[in-house]
Amino acid sequence: MRGFFVYLTYKEITKKKCDIGSIIESIKRLPLSDSLIYLSELMFKDHNDINIKGSYLKYLYNKKHLSYEKIAELTRFSVFSHQGLLNLWKYLLAYGEKENLFKSTHLTREDCTNELITLSLKISDHLVNEEKLKDKDSRSVIYELMSNGYFNTNKDVSAAIGRSALIYNDITQNQDNFHPSDFIDIHTDFKKHYGYSIRDYFACITALCSKYINKETLSDDLITSLEYFQTTILKDIAPIILQPMMFDFDEGKEWAIEAISKPWDFSLFQRKPFFTINGTQFVPVYNRYLEDKLFESLYYHIRQAYPSDDTSFSSFYGKPFELYIQLLLEECIKQSKLPYTLIKEFKFGKNADKSPDAMVRLNSKLLIFEAKTRKAKNGSIIDSQEESIQNDLNSMVKGPILQAQKAILKILNTEHQYKENFIGIEEIYIITVVPRRLPYFEPIKTELREEINSEINSIIKGYYDFDIEELEMLGNLLAKRKKPIFPILSDYNISNQNSFKNFLYYRNFTMSRPDFINNRTMVAFDEIMKHLGYVKQDELKNLKTHQIKKLKSLRKRNRR
């Protein structure tokens, strides 16, 4: 299956599993101080890092585990997965001895890293229920793929910075964007609850992402102190922001013991992406969970500023998300050489029915966008509960598609003041957009399409579910391609790819953000540097330089 990689297991090396008891005994003897730091460093590496793979296979050969011929055979495998390493984190916390927390290893960094990879492989052999996988009537394999696909979705940190700046700064702070009865001043509510502003939070997290980005050898620089912001304007605020994102050994142990049986449960690491040994110094567990704080997790952080039974923010957030999509399409259409027309949301008819959130017309074709801020539930991505998965797919895919269809058919068949915008429409395409989609595979994909097809009108020529990054990539194609976007959607419709990102990748289309998001990201870097007091410029410039290099690389590819 395209888009998936084959990972090495300990059983592949030795032809048998290592029993859990032996794994636990090894961990109890392990000096945790260096082990956790090296594990944190390993989390930054790509699963196919040739240096890590080469070092580990050489290590196995020197240990007499494998012959030279077997080593050559195993080069097709990745020697670790980030899921496996995160489960190693859980095992070290659950079974490690606190008295070993400050003990250092006598091993070199390279040998310690290889020992950690071996432990990870031993644990990985126990992460999947083989009996369930053997059951032909069970969907365990499909659900495992769904969790895997959700976990391994690559995200663009620079896009998240620009997107969050647009949504949480530009859009939500402009009261004119909202009906007076719908507006919520989330910035005032946030500061009242936490004691710091959204800007403070955003600057702090971005600065730490900048510190860790693109580091080949992190070494001691990986360990960060709460005094890291001491020379910035945020010197008093940063510890207040960061301490709730840190967990110590005792908290980690209590959670890990409960979560050890759930291979996809990394909830503590998502909430608190930093491990602290002494309360003042910390290391990141997984940089992706820190980067999530810039967009996806920021929603939950703001939500927690309101009482649990208060749904006002959840209801409000849908509107800024819709406005962001409208702005994205508007800016991309401005760049396009083709005569696309943007139709924003409107109310029509005697009952003031709502149109879809945004529509783009080109001649006789209409592209509809229906935005939803719903996210996959833990029951789907952690527990593989069939009912939860079905509910999520209904609310994130099927429901919004049929909702958009119902609205557009009513628009086409009702007299109203906007009717002339839709005269001559012959083909309609629907895209539902969520912050992060739940990937799904056969046979679920076919079953879902059959359900939708049973209710779809013949004028609907294609329907799709995108995450927000995929919509940004589509927007970039819409802005820069000299040909209409609709043939690309038609090709994707009949492809066997399970996501639009994969489709673009394997068809060699440009996978880039629109220029206006890139520009807003650059402005955001400057705003953050100013907010910090121009002191952490060097490290923020690392992220900005990384972004500029990426853009130059994409432009060269576009020219080719």
Side-chain angles (χ1 to χ4, degrees), residues 165-176:
L166 283 159
I167 292 176
Y168 292 110
N169 185 54
D170 302 357
I171 293 175
T172 59
Q173 288 203 114
N174 185 352
Q175 198 165 342
D176 293 339

Side-chain angles (χ1 to χ4, degrees), residues 124-136:
S124 294
D125 277 333
H126 296 275
L127 296 181
V128 177
N129 187 322
E130 293 184 352
E131 292 305 313
K132 281 189 176 181
L133 296 185
K134 290 177 183 176
D135 184 354
K136 293 181 180 179

Side-chain angles (χ1 to χ4, degrees), residues 182-302:
D182 296 333
F183 179 73
I184 297 177
D185 187 352
I186 62 171
H187 291 266
T188 298
D189 293 344
F190 185 94
K191 188 164 187 177
K192 183 178 179 181
H193 179 79
Y194 289 110
Y196 54 84
S197 68
I198 292 178
R199 283 177 180 266
D200 294 335
Y201 172 91
F202 198 66
C204 183
I205 301 302
T206 305
L208 285 173
C209 288
S210 305
K211 171 181 168 61
Y212 300 131
I213 199 160
N214 207 28
K215 299 282 185 71
E216 288 301 317
T217 304
L218 295 163
S219 62
D220 294 336
D221 196 35
L222 189 66
I223 303 171
T224 308
S225 169
L226 284 175
E227 296 183 353
Y228 177 70
F229 290 90
Q230 210 43 36
T231 55
T232 74
I233 292 173
L234 297 183
K235 62 181 180 180
D236 298 322
I237 294 293
I240 299 173
I241 296 172
L242 294 175
Q243 279 176 324
M245 295 186 193
M246 296 159 49
F247 69 92
D248 61 15
F249 187 75
D250 291 333
E251 182 183 1
K253 178 178 281 291
E254 182 180 358
W255 167 80
I257 290 171
E258 291 292 322
I260 205 80
S261 63
K262 295 183 177 182
W264 294 106
D265 185 357
F266 308 123
S267 52
L268 176 67
F269 306 146
Q270 290 170 310
R271 293 195 314 273
K272 300 185 174 187
F274 299 117
F275 172 72
T276 178
I277 294 176
N278 55 20
T280 59
Q281 291 180 305
F282 56 88
V283 293
V285 174
Y286 188 24
N287 58 309
R288 189 176 290 180
Y289 289 149
L290 174 61
E291 292 166 1
D292 277 351
K293 298 289 183 186
L294 292 170
F295 178 67
E296 189 172 339
S297 296
L298 179 52
Y299 166 88
Y300 295 106
H301 198 52
I302 298 173

